[in-house]
Amino acid sequence: MTLGVYKTSVEIVTPESTTVGESGNREKEKSRSVRPVISLQNVKKDYSLGVETVHALRGITLDVLPGQFVAVMGASGSGKSTLLNLIGCLDRPSEGTYLLDGIDASHLSAAERADIRNQKIGFIFQSFNLLPRTSVWENVEAPMLYAGLPKDVRAERVRHALKTVGISEKAKALPNQLSGGQQQRVAVARALVNRPPLMLADEPTGNLDSVTAEEIMKFLQDLNVRRHITLVMVTHEADIAAYARRVIQMKDGLIQSDYMK
Amino acid sequence: MNFRMILKISIKALNRNKVRSVLTMLGIIIGVGSLISMVSLGQGAQMQIQEAIAARGANLLYVRPGSRRTRGYHGGAGTINTLVPADAEAILAECPSVAMASPSVGVSAQVIFGNQNWSTRIEGFNQEFPEIRNWKVAQGTFFDETHLKTAARVAVLGQTVSDLLFPGMDPVGQTMRIRNLPFQVIGVLEKKGQSSWGRDNDDTVVVPYTTVQKKMLGGILNIQSIIISAISARATYTAELQITETLRQRHKLRVSQENDFQVRNLSEYAEAAAETNQTMTVLLACIAAVSLLVGGIGIMNIMLVAVTERTREIGIRMAIGARPEHIRVQFLVESILLCLFGGMLGVTLGVVGSFAISGLLGWPTLLSSSSIVLGVGFSAMIGIFFGYYPAHKASMLDPIDALRYE
Ligand SMILES: Nc1ncnc2c1ncn2[C@@H]1O[C@H](COP(=O)(O)OP(=O)(O)OP(=O)(O)O)[C@@H](O)[C@H]1O
Ligand SMILES: [Mg+2]
């Protein structure tokens, strides 16, 4: 039921000495030696609403290298969430190819995509999306159940993850007994337990006050720096995007700008 | 993802909505409960019929005079008197499958003792009667061959007659009057109870058949019927053939002629009764099955509601790596658990119900383990059958749509 054994080592990233404002394509040429975690080639996504067709993504070409921290910005309706869902294998592109960690993810079955989400990707949502009426402990344990990990490994990892996000004392609490910040920490812990190389966050601080938002962002940044977890984050706010080292601006289903700090 | 985890998730989900789970199960509980009590009722009736037949003697055969056909006129059974005691003797002598035979001739008569009187049947048999009818003497003795030869005025009473004529006293040795003739009571038969046709078996007086012929019917020579006991229950059919052959020869019937007698055995009645009863059992079981079906549809309905209600949960599970089959199994296990648990409660209800039926209404019931296994198995099958569609629907949800569901 699991998709192979996850390699604990994350490919070491040598941060490119790129200058601010450099285009994504030029950056790609510079880093041919490192395999991108995410590689999109002219990806399009259409939604049909009856007779009308919405072109949510109209040709996205994008590489994200291991260890990068990318912020995706843009106006509402520009296709940020659609892009993130495609990257997260929650959806399939209408056109184009998508390689995730070298695997062609454009034509996988629902079960194969489930395995990829389970093993390679940790999700953090704006609305936390914890399992309702299920304890913090069990929420964090859930991805490992689908991974088929043995009980002792699960217990050890839940304990460790809760400690990492600093809410060990809430293990028995239910999500609705926690503050938004605490819930998001649980979500982060849940995203971590299967040790995915990639984490995707869709407006992770959208429902949080600025102090809590900062806490969560510091934490995500820490994960990126210390654990070399690749992070792709959608946000509306410039000060949140400032935590990322690469910022992509989207407009009408296309990438408008892509620059590194 | 192992099965125990899925089981845990399912039990938790059911626990969250206890009232709803119980209400949903109610359909299955009632369905399985009625299935089990109906089947036990049917099997109880079956058993009663078989017992009644065994009580009368499973080996028992009757020979009655047939109807005579003269110039197109076809009389009813027993319209002619073709049977004589010698027929009974011949049957006994010539049919290997026959163990015992007794002529039978009876009249209705008033019996009097002291100031008590009672109208009853006086039935004449030979000394083999207790053996053939499987009907023992409780007090005193039965008459013997000497009584038969001398057409002695001796009587063996059925319990009802004994109770009515000799209340609170021992009838054996007393002299009572039948049609104004004095008879000595030499025995009382065991209580036999009602026949399956509702007649009181114990409302009878048994006397030597010769006495009925000579002392009560003015010296007639023929008899009304012959009761026969085959050597075993299995031998009744061959006995029937042998008896037919013997009687046809004795009555000098040509090949073209119909039998002037009828041979009947009780297993025919038993079969007819069993068939009627089986039809009833099947009918009752069908009604119970329909209620189970309705229960199953209730399960499907609730599972569909549960899937809709938990769409977001399904989306979350999918996002963190649940495969479609994980979701499908989770919901399927939920509906199977509902049905299995309901089925077990239903079995309990069915057992209690069938005890209640036999206790309160006095109807016989027979609980068989097979009907219990059937009930539980059936409910599990309903869980799978009616749970599959909602579970499949859940597993086919699009992760994004499910996550967005409010
Ligand atoms: N399931 C869907 N069916 C039809 N249209 C959709 C669907 N999902 C998204 N769209 C459309 O695709 C476009 C991009 O949507 P998307 O959710 O990616 O925007 P966004 O950039 O995330 O916006 P926001 O900042 O408001 O979250 C929008 O026009 C939206 O209406
Ligand atoms: Mg969005």
Side-chain angles (χ1 to χ4, degrees):
Chain A
M1 276 193 185
T2 60
L3 186 99
V5 180
Y6 169 62
K7 300 186 289 294
T8 42
S9 72
V10 174
E11 284 140 279
I12 304 299
V13 195
T14 45
E16 257 79 5
S17 51
T18 42
T19 47
V20 177
E22 214 172 24
S23 80
N25 269 349
R26 278 179 65 190
E27 193 213 325
K28 190 180 154 199
E29 275 162 35
K30 277 192 160 191
S31 56
R32 252 185 204 136
S33 51
V34 185
R35 190 177 73 185
V37 186
I38 298 164
S39 177
L40 298 163
Q41 277 296 323
N42 196 28
V43 164
K44 294 179 183 170
K45 181 71 191 179
D46 300 330
Y47 292 109
S48 56
L49 294 168
V51 273
E52 216 180 319
T53 305
V54 180
H55 303 285
L57 297 179
R58 301 196 288 167
I60 303 276
T61 299
L62 170 72
D63 278 355
V64 176
L65 299 180
Q68 281 189 337
F69 186 172
V70 185
V72 181
M73 298 189 74
S76 186
S78 56
K80 306 181 295 293
S81 295
T82 306
L83 177 64
L84 207 70
N85 290 339
L86 282 180
I87 292 173
C89 288
L90 283 167
D91 213 343
R92 280 191 282 198
S94 310
E95 258 180 69
T97 53
Y98 168 33
L99 298 183
L100 172 69
D101 224 6
I103 303 163
D104 185 354
S106 356
H107 305 287
L108 296 177
S109 71
E112 287 166 326
R113 277 183 287 138
D115 288 344
I116 287 200
R117 291 194 296 269
N118 185 242
Q119 293 295 306
K120 305 253 181 207
I121 299 164
F123 286 98
I124 300 164
F125 301 93
Q126 177 177 0
S127 50
F128 321 129
N129 276 343
L130 298 179
L131 293 170
R133 289 162 295 192
T134 305
S135 73
V136 164
W137 181 282
E138 286 170 310
N139 259 289
V140 177
E141 190 185 26
M144 295 184 285
L145 292 179
Y146 294 115
L149 292 177
K151 192 174 182 156
D152 48 337
V153 175
R154 292 200 309 260
E156 173 53 35
R157 288 202 191 176
V158 172
R159 215 171 288 127
H160 188 251
L162 288 179
K163 206 171 134 196
T164 310
V165 299
I167 48 165
S168 299
E169 75 281 4
K170 297 283 185 190
K172 286 201 172 70
L174 297 177
N176 58 3
Q177 297 165 336
L178 301 179
S179 71
Q182 287 170 326
Q183 287 191 52
Q184 197 61 301
R185 282 158 187 264
V186 177
V188 172
R190 181 179 67 184
L192 281 173
V193 282
N194 272 346
R195 298 177 182 168
L198 175 63
M199 265 170 101
L200 303 176
D202 196 344
E203 300 185 40
T205 59
N207 282 0
L208 303 175
D209 63 78
S210 55
V211 179
T212 323
E214 201 182 311
E215 267 176 38
I216 294 287
M217 285 318 299
K218 286 227 172 86
F219 191 77
L220 290 180
Q221 195 175 39
D222 196 55
L223 284 178
N224 173 247
V225 173
R226 295 210 196 172
R227 299 205 191 177
H228 311 293
I229 291 176
T230 313
L231 252 164
V232 179
M233 173 184 73
V234 169
T235 183
H236 278 291
E237 295 152 75
D239 54 337
I240 298 297
Y243 286 91
R245 290 193 303 123
R246 180 179 174 188
V247 178
I248 292 172
Q249 283 284 346
M250 286 188 70
K251 195 183 178 196
D252 297 333
L254 289 169
I255 293 179
Q256 197 182 30
S257 70
D258 180 351
Y259 63 91
M260 298 281 290
K261 283 190 272 191
Chain B
M1 190 87 183
N2 61 31
F3 190 72
R4 254 186 57 202
M5 291 341 284
I6 290 181
L7 207 65
K8 236 174 86 179
I9 293 172
S10 301
I11 289 173
K12 264 189 70 172
L14 293 177
N15 247 330
R16 256 183 239 145
N17 273 310
K18 280 199 195 75
V19 175
R20 185 158 87 190
S21 301
V22 170
L23 285 177
T24 310
M25 274 190 282
L26 214 55
I28 299 294
I29 294 172
I30 292 171
V32 170
S34 55
L35 186 73
I36 283 178
S37 42
M38 290 304 121
V39 168
S40 80
L41 192 64
Q43 287 181 334
Q46 188 97 32
M47 181 186 69
Q48 194 187 33
I49 289 168
Q50 262 151 18
E51 270 177 4
I53 280 155
R56 296 189 79 180
N59 314 346
L60 198 60
L61 295 108
Y62 290 100
V63 179
R64 292 215 174 84
S67 57
R68 172 169 290 163
R69 200 199 285 255
T70 28
R71 288 190 220 112
Y73 171 73
H74 203 157
T79 48
I80 47 164
N81 300 320
T82 48
L83 294 175
V84 291
D87 286 329
E89 281 157 32
I91 285 167
L92 188 60
E94 288 168 30
C95 304
S97 293
V98 169
M100 286 166 288
S102 166
S104 165
V105 55
V107 289
S108 288
Q110 186 97 5
V111 291
I112 302 166
F113 177 77
N115 54 2
Q116 311 279 351
N117 72 83
W118 182 246
S119 237
T120 186
R121 288 189 316 276
I122 313 297
E123 295 179 284
F125 292 101
N126 69 13
Q127 74 285 355
E128 311 268 34
F129 171 86
E131 288 277 344
I132 296 173
R133 286 292 304 273
N134 190 21
W135 197 349
K136 292 188 182 61
V137 176
Q139 286 166 264
T141 54
F142 204 75
F143 50 80
D144 56 27
E145 272 190 272
T146 325
H147 292 124
L148 273 167
K149 279 194 188 122
T150 58
R153 290 199 297 264
V154 288
V156 180
L157 308 183
Q159 282 283 351
T160 305
V161 177
S162 164
D163 290 347
L164 284 165
L165 242 47
F166 303 94
M169 59 189 287
D170 185 4
V172 177
Q174 303 290 345
T175 301
M176 64 174 190
R177 301 181 78 82
I178 303 176
R179 285 195 174 173
N180 274 328
L181 293 171
F183 276 75
Q184 194 194 2
V185 178
I186 58 168
V188 178
L189 291 167
E190 273 183 346
K191 190 168 175 63
K192 195 85 169 174
Q194 286 214 328
S195 76
S196 36
W197 286 267
R199 212 177 60 183
D200 181 6
N201 281 318
D202 300 312
D203 185 7
T204 188
V205 174
V206 180
V207 300
Y209 77 92
T210 48
T211 312
V212 178
Q213 282 181 316
K214 288 175 188 156
K215 305 280 162 66
M216 304 180 81
L217 290 175
I220 60 159
L221 295 175
N222 57 318
I223 52 176
Q224 285 159 351
S225 64
I226 303 169
I227 60 169
I228 294 153
S229 179
I231 51 173
S232 71
R234 271 208 218 114
T236 48
Y237 184 65
T238 44
E240 195 175 323
L241 294 179
Q242 291 164 359
I243 292 162
T244 307
E245 196 44 47
T246 306
L247 288 182
R248 281 188 72 86
Q249 275 179 18
R250 280 190 51 82
H251 294 188
K252 302 195 170 59
L253 298 175
R254 274 173 280 130
V255 185
S256 59
Q257 276 178 302
E258 274 183 56
N259 290 345
D260 59 355
F261 56 89
Q262 293 176 345
V263 186
R264 280 284 151 87
N265 69 59
L266 269 179
S267 56
E268 281 173 22
Y269 293 110
E271 268 165 35
E275 215 165 279
T276 317
N277 180 58
Q278 209 159 22
T279 313
M280 194 188 72
T281 307
V282 167
L283 217 76
L284 288 174
C286 278
I287 293 168
V290 166
S291 72
L292 252 184
L293 192 79
V294 173
I297 292 168
I299 296 267
M300 180 142 102
N301 187 22
I302 284 300
M303 289 314 293
L304 282 172
V305 169
V307 168
T308 309
E309 223 179 42
R310 282 150 65 192
T311 301
R312 204 177 165 87
E313 178 196 323
I314 295 166
I316 297 170
R317 289 189 182 279
M318 284 177 161
I320 61 173
R323 290 177 174 189
E325 73 228 39
H326 289 139
I327 303 294
R328 190 161 51 223
V329 169
Q330 181 191 327
F331 280 94
L332 204 53
V333 165
E334 250 171 66
S335 76
I336 293 172
L337 276 181
L338 267 181
C339 286
L340 259 186
F341 199 60
M344 283 187 244
L345 287 179
V347 165
T348 316
L349 184 78
V351 171
V352 171
S354 63
F355 279 129
I357 287 170
S358 59
L360 298 177
L361 302 176
W363 296 352
T365 56
L366 182 66
L367 269 173
S368 67
S369 52
S370 67
S371 71
I372 289 172
V373 171
L374 201 82
V376 174
F378 212 51
S379 53
M381 263 167 51
I382 279 184
I384 296 172
F385 186 79
F386 288 101
Y388 188 82
Y389 173 67
H392 183 71
K393 211 181 144 191
S395 74
M396 296 310 279
L397 282 173
D398 180 68
I400 296 175
D401 290 345
L403 273 171
R404 283 223 190 100
Y405 187 85
E406 288 300 331

